[in-house]
Amino acid sequence: MATKRRAAADSAAAKNQPLVDDIRLLGRILGDVIREQEGKEAFDLVERVRQLAVAYRLKRNAAAGRALDRLLTSLSGDRTVSVIRAFSYFSHLANIAEDRHHLRRRAVHERQGHLQRGSLQGAFERLARRGIGADEVARTLAHAWISPVLTAHPTEVQRKSILDAERAIAELLAARTPELGEREAARNETLIRARVTQLWQTRMLRNAKLTVDDEIENALSYYRATFLAQIPELYREIEEALPGFEIAPFFRMGNWIGGDRDGNPFVDAGTLATALARQGETALRHYLTQVHELGAELSSSATLSRVSPELQALADASGDDSPHRADEPYRRALIGVYARLAATLSALTGTQALRHAVTPSAPYPDAAALLADLRTVEASLRHHHAAALVAPRLAPLIRAVQVFGFHLATVDLRQSSDKHEAVIAELLAVARIEADYGALDEAARRVCLLKLLDDARPLRVGESERAAAYGDATRSELAIFEAAAAMRSRYGNDAIRHYIISHTETVSDLLEVLVLLKEAGLFRGPLGGGEATTALIVSPLFETIGDLQRAATIMREYYALPGLVAMMQRSGAEQDVMIGYSDSNKDGGALTSSWELYCAEIALVEVFAPLRESHGITLRLFHGRGGTVGRGGGPSYEAILAQPPGTVNGQIRLTEQGEVIASKYAQPEIGRRNLETLVAATLEATLLQPTQSVPKAFIEAARHLSETSMAAYRGLVYETPGFTDYFFSATPIREIAELNIGSRPASRKATRAIEDLRAIPWSFSWGQCRVALPGWYGFGTAIEAFLGEGRERSARARLLQRMAREWPFFATLVSNLDMVIAKSDMAIAARYVELVEDKRLGRKVFARIEAEWQRTNEALTLITGQKERLASNPALARSIEHRFPYLDPLNHLQVELMRRYRQRRADDPAIERVQRGIHLSINGLAAGLRNTG
């Protein structure tokens, strides 16, 4: 046995040696840059801190820990910042090396014929083993809709300048193959050193708070780096796996930036117009570049190869009469296409193409017209022995136009239900229809709103009277609806498809939005007259535990309204329902949030199953997941497979947020693999349905666990006197609120109430101090209570173990808890307790947190059978083991600087440097922990 363990360890070490080599290389280069830029004394200090941290963490050397503590607390402000920057950048570079190693290992597995979970090829093989052929997969994709949705994030800490430099380092690291010669390797290292120097001399923090325009530009960088090129590659991979089948454009991108008004006063009609103009410009400039390059490649001469009459007509219409290209019809045709694209860019965005068109031309009316021209080029090539010329550039371009159109990504509109209510109330009061709409009960509101939807007349007064009639808030909200109508007309209907209603609690919340859509011509009625249509999919967002429990009832009553089903049929027969992971977690804890989401999904499917059968209405669940486990995070593949049976059906939207966007999509190849995972999981969840229902014993156990867990969680967070003071003292929430890291405020209201705090900074703060409380608190108590005492204890333990083996929902829950407990650290967390001014309160609350952590850890050992966390994920376990020594100093220094900052004098000249150090430590820890947002 010992020999086998040694052999396994040796094998793992051999597999990871390239990763170790890469980290050493990048660490050595970083050290050289620090010595060069900051001097030998600074380098020696960083190296001393590193040695002590490694000794303390990996060798359990208590003396090293005490020495590290003394050294770090004695540092001056300048030295503190240097150390924080060094360890922060090491985390960034380690991430690059790990991503590279992940791709390297995946390539090794593929060469050996081992198909990894989450890969498309692995999914197709599993489907084939179950007798599901290519025709059924293609049919599923024909009706599928898979859409990751990028959202702006109040705790996104990465600057674009940093991401660009790190992307360059990743490309250089990928070029260091065994085939690289000595001179080439030296040249490569010189280039890496240049980029690391760039990093060191680049400001890690923003000087000013992000604007919405900044957030729009940040998101667009991922399209230019990854999505525009890699999504067509994803389709190509599917086409190769399903030869002979036309693959529908089922995979689309979504975006909230510029359209998400919930809690962000800086988003308005202007930002919506800016978002779509910049998105359209990004797509069109990509097409212009590709068409230009395609023209260079398609140099076929008419004297050597014939073309179709349609292609010849396209060439003749181009206006290109250069004698040098007289016999090159493809080039002439593409010059015409380029000219029309350049005119489209100018017409839609007011900007000009970098290369001037040969001749002026009319803009394309829509993306379909551009696609038709490209199809003409494709058909001619295929029918005249030039099909080989389609694949390299034309096929990806055609797919890009299908997917991205002239809008790039669908922008969702989102606002809180109480804002809609206020607008409706003012409209009704001014129109003298209802003096106090807010005082009406739900039944009366429905009657009032349905009457408005049956009336073809607008509710607003004439345009010339509106400025005097309505307040600023009402005019701003109505302007969004008018802008949405204009943007759809300008960029195509796919530019804006969804309207998300935050805090949906009643049927009237949905009807209010239909009335507001009617004011902008986006709803046409009357609702009960058999002709009503809605241009946008009105999508409720159920967020709290109570909202999730009422979700099915609300949707059932909504669809029972007269004329509603017929309207939805005429409007595309699609209904998106968004379910919120973050707020439900903050409301009830991780276990209860997961369980209530699971139950809500099942209940919603039961509501829509008969509607699908009778009227063809498709339910699409939109998962509002974050980066942390406390916000629904964790591996996407496992999360999708853990959805209740029948809830996916080829339809899924999910948010991508925070540091997760950068870690998933900043590097093109990593990005494609993550996109591939979404498709693989959706296909498997749709087509590999379990043959048996979930045992009743599992359901009852989960319900019991949820109730106990929620009571424990709420008992701490909402019912413990002084807990709010503890949270604001023992985490960096106050300092996070000061960071220039997002346009949206950290809290919905100007209070310290946890109920009003946004779920994102709530989770982010707990992650920074290494407690990660939202991801696990309450689980240990729930398991302990469920097991009970006496003879039933062993049987119940076996039931839990069986649930973890056989039930994807519970297995994924346990796996995520295993990860979050592994990443938490109570010894580090205890340092933050020192910041609580009320020492008795600090000790009391932390004792409860620590005891629950211990219970949760023991529960995971019982369920998994493994004493060590992440025993089933050795790669992540190794990553954490090697990463933590470099994070520990950041936590130690963060605590010390927070203490200095909170005890500051108003006239202290060093306080700006202290504040900068805190903010740098937040950045470094976010990078090191990765899924923190």
Side-chain angles (χ1 to χ4, degrees), residues 599-633:
C599 293
E601 290 182 53
I602 291 174
L604 285 166
V605 167
E606 290 173 354
V607 170
F608 280 90
L611 288 169
R612 183 175 185 177
E613 189 70 28
S614 60
H615 295 89
I617 294 174
T618 297
L619 169 67
R620 181 184 303 116
L621 290 171
F622 183 6
H623 300 264
R625 305 173 73 231
T628 58
V629 170
R631 297 188 52 246

Side-chain angles (χ1 to χ4, degrees), residues 819-864:
M819 177 183 70
V820 78
I821 288 293
K823 283 191 172 186
S824 62
D825 189 310
M826 289 298 107
I828 294 289
R831 299 297 307 274
Y832 287 79
V833 181
E834 299 167 10
L835 298 170
V836 181
E837 291 182 11
D838 184 336
K839 300 304 178 185
R840 185 168 178 273
L841 173 69
R843 288 192 299 271
K844 179 183 174 184
V845 172
F846 185 68
R848 288 180 63 179
I849 292 173
E850 195 170 28
E852 182 64 14
W853 186 95
Q854 191 60 44
R855 281 190 290 269
T856 300
N857 190 43
E858 290 169 0
L860 289 170
T861 297
L862 173 78
I863 294 168
T864 65

Side-chain angles (χ1 to χ4, degrees), residues 375-668:
R375 289 291 195 193
T376 296
V377 177
E378 179 193 28
S380 183
L381 290 169
R382 292 193 185 281
H383 286 96
H384 296 93
H385 310 292
L389 294 173
V390 172
R393 194 178 300 275
L394 179 56
L397 175 57
I398 287 172
R399 186 59 81 177
V401 174
Q402 284 183 322
V403 171
F404 300 110
F406 288 167
H407 63 288
L408 190 71
T410 295
V411 177
D412 289 0
L413 305 181
R414 183 171 80 130
Q415 182 57 290
S416 179
S417 59
D418 62 313
K419 302 296 184 185
H420 303 139
E421 178 187 329
V423 173
I424 291 291
E426 186 166 7
L427 290 174
L428 289 169
V430 170
R432 298 184 179 179
I433 294 173
E434 177 55 59
D436 191 358
Y437 174 78
L440 298 180
D441 62 19
E442 173 63 12
R445 289 187 184 196
R446 292 187 197 182
V447 170
C448 176
L449 295 167
L450 287 170
K451 187 175 180 181
L452 293 173
L453 292 170
D454 273 334
D455 189 340
R457 294 171 299 176
L459 187 55
R460 285 183 290 179
V461 298
E463 190 169 348
S464 61
E465 303 172 55
R466 290 172 190 169
Y470 305 121
D472 291 344
T474 292
R475 292 201 307 276
S476 177
E477 287 300 312
L478 292 171
I480 281 279
F481 290 88
E482 292 169 344
M487 295 301 102
R488 281 170 57 87
S489 175
R490 191 175 185 86
Y491 297 100
N493 289 342
D494 283 343
I496 301 173
R497 297 182 76 244
H498 307 91
Y499 195 104
I500 314 292
I501 307 170
S502 297
H503 310 112
T504 301
E505 298 173 343
T506 61
V507 171
S508 63
D509 290 338
L510 292 123
L511 294 176
E512 287 166 359
V513 172
L514 287 178
V515 171
L516 295 175
L517 290 173
K518 173 172 165 270
E519 292 299 303
L522 293 168
F523 170 94
R524 299 184 186 278
L527 179 60
E531 300 172 3
T533 59
T534 175
L536 302 188
I537 302 171
V538 177
S539 309
L541 167 51
F542 299 109
E543 299 176 85
T544 66
I545 298 299
D547 293 345
L548 289 168
Q549 291 171 342
R550 291 189 296 271
T553 299
I554 289 171
M555 295 312 293
R556 184 180 291 108
E557 293 179 3
Y558 179 60
Y559 270 81
L561 295 173
L564 204 291
V565 170
M567 179 197 75
M568 293 303 294
Q569 270 189 302
R570 284 189 295 273
S571 305
E574 298 173 284
Q575 177 65 64
D576 287 56
V577 174
M578 187 172 183
I579 48 178
Y581 289 64
S582 306
D583 281 285
S584 61
N585 181 287
K586 187 162 75 76
D587 191 25
L591 195 159
T592 299
S593 170
S594 297
W595 174 243
E596 292 297 344
L597 285 160
Y598 186 91
C599 293
E601 290 182 53
I602 291 174
L604 285 166
V605 167
E606 290 173 354
V607 170
F608 280 90
L611 288 169
R612 183 175 185 177
E613 189 70 28
S614 60
H615 295 89
I617 294 174
T618 297
L619 169 67
R620 181 184 303 116
L621 290 171
F622 183 6
H623 300 264
R625 305 173 73 231
T628 58
V629 170
R631 297 188 52 246
S636 296
Y637 178 75
E638 285 77 8
I640 294 172
L641 291 185
Q643 298 305 306
T647 59
V648 177
N649 288 325
Q651 308 289 319
I652 193 164
R653 298 182 88 217
L654 69 166
T655 54
E656 299 280 27
Q657 303 180 5
E659 308 310 305
V660 171
I661 296 177
S663 67
K664 282 186 173 182
Y665 301 120
Q667 311 302 331

Side-chain angles (χ1 to χ4, degrees), residues 4 13 78 215 250 311 332 342 349 483 489 512 566 605 628 631 643 736 752 816 872 884:
K4 284 185 177 181
D78 286 346
E215 291 171 336
F250 66 92
L311 190 283
R332 292 176 60 225
T349 71
S489 175
E512 287 166 359
V605 167
T628 58
R631 297 188 52 246
Q643 298 305 306
I736 287 168
R752 278 176 28 123
N816 285 337
S872 61
F884 273 14

